[in-house]
């Protein structure tokens, strides 16, 4: 099973190719990482091509595609989702969505409770709490950083870029990983496809949690003749 994974729901443009075999489990075949909030469209497709070339794999070799579904800003998030759906349709392979917060949680490997917070702009964060890296305790939400710890156990660790940005509210300490990696996304997806415990795989539909900043223009105002 060869799984191509990528996520564009944050500032990271991250791509990875993993192969799963019964004897070896998930084995990385290639990866590419970049951080640029404004160049998701420019960087994603070349990164996918580079990773496939690095592994000596052709698109026809893929068994599945995994993509981060957010939550995240509208513009970056839709780049990954549109690309994943287009590739899935062209190659006739399944496309699996994974919550980006779950990807970050999975990468921690933590077995004790913690929370994940990413940057939502407008002085807010996207966040969720977890029992462990495999099990989420709350649904993803968006709001001020203080919401993350409201009603939570005292001293709950918080990881992610949002935690680092608002450390005065969410606490100092180790906030790594700050951003999602496609390696963790691929590992999570392969684990679930192999029947192991972990977060649910979803349809490749965006999880925005709030309306996009961009708005459709209203009707033109009538001009009264002078």
């Amino acid at each position: 099973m060869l799984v191509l994974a990528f996520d564009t729901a944050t500032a990271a443009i991250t791509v990875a190719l993993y192969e799963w075999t019964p004897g070896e489990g998930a084995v990385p075949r290639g990866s590419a990482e970049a951080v640029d909030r404004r160049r998701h469209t420019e960087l994603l497709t070349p990164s996918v091509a580079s990773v496939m070339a690095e592994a000596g794999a052709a698109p026809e070799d893929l068994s599945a595609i995994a993509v981060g579904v957010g939550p995240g800003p509208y513009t970056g998030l839709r780049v990954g989702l549109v690309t994943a759906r287009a590739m899935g349709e062209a190659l006739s392979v399944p496309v699996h969505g994974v919550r980006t917060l779950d990807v970050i949680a999975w990468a921690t490997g933590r077995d004790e409770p913690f929370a994940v917070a990413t940057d939502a702009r407008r002085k807010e964060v996207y966040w969720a709490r977890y029992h462990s890296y495999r099990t989420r305790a709350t649904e993803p939400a968006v709001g001020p950083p203080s919401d993350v710890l409201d009603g939570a156990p005292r001293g709950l660790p918080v990881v992610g870029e949002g935690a680092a940005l608002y450390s005065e509210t969410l606490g100092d300490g180790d906030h790594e990983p700050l951003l999602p990696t496609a390696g963790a996304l691929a590992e999570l997806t392969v684990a679930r496809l192999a029947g192991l415990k972990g977060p649910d795989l979803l349809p490749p539909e965006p999880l925005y949690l709030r309306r996009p900043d961009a708005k459709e223009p209203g009707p033109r105002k009538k001009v009264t003749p002078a």
Side-chain angles (χ1 to χ4, degrees), residues 21-176:
T21 58
E24 299 183 50
V27 178
R29 294 279 302 276
S31 65
E33 306 285 341
V35 178
D36 193 320
R37 296 185 186 278
R38 299 183 179 182
R39 299 182 65 209
H40 295 85
T41 303
E42 296 174 49
L43 296 177
L44 178 58
T45 300
S47 295
V48 169
S50 173
V51 167
M52 296 293 289
E54 177 186 346
E60 295 76 18
D61 298 329
L62 294 175
S63 304
I65 295 170
V67 62
V69 300
Y74 177 77
T75 303
L77 181 54
R78 69 178 178 176
V79 170
L81 287 165
V82 168
T83 302
R85 289 197 292 253
M87 289 185 66
E89 182 174 350
L91 299 171
S92 297
V93 298
V95 179
H96 303 287
V98 180
R99 296 176 181 89
T100 299
L101 296 174
D102 291 349
V103 174
I104 297 174
W106 185 272
T108 70
R110 292 174 181 250
D111 287 318
E112 300 296 328
F114 65 98
V116 177
T118 60
D119 182 20
R121 305 173 187 173
R122 305 183 194 174
K123 298 183 179 180
E124 293 184 331
V125 295
Y126 299 113
W127 65 275
R129 296 182 200 143
Y130 292 79
H131 295 303
S132 73
Y133 77 103
R134 290 182 179 270
T135 308
R136 186 164 21 82
T138 66
E139 289 300 310
V142 62
S146 57
D147 284 359
V148 180
L149 298 178
D150 185 20
R154 184 179 179 84
L156 183 73
V158 187
V159 303
E161 185 182 30
L165 285 171
Y166 302 103
S167 58
E168 71 281 1
T169 300
L170 299 178
D172 296 321
D174 183 11
H175 299 305
E176 296 285 346

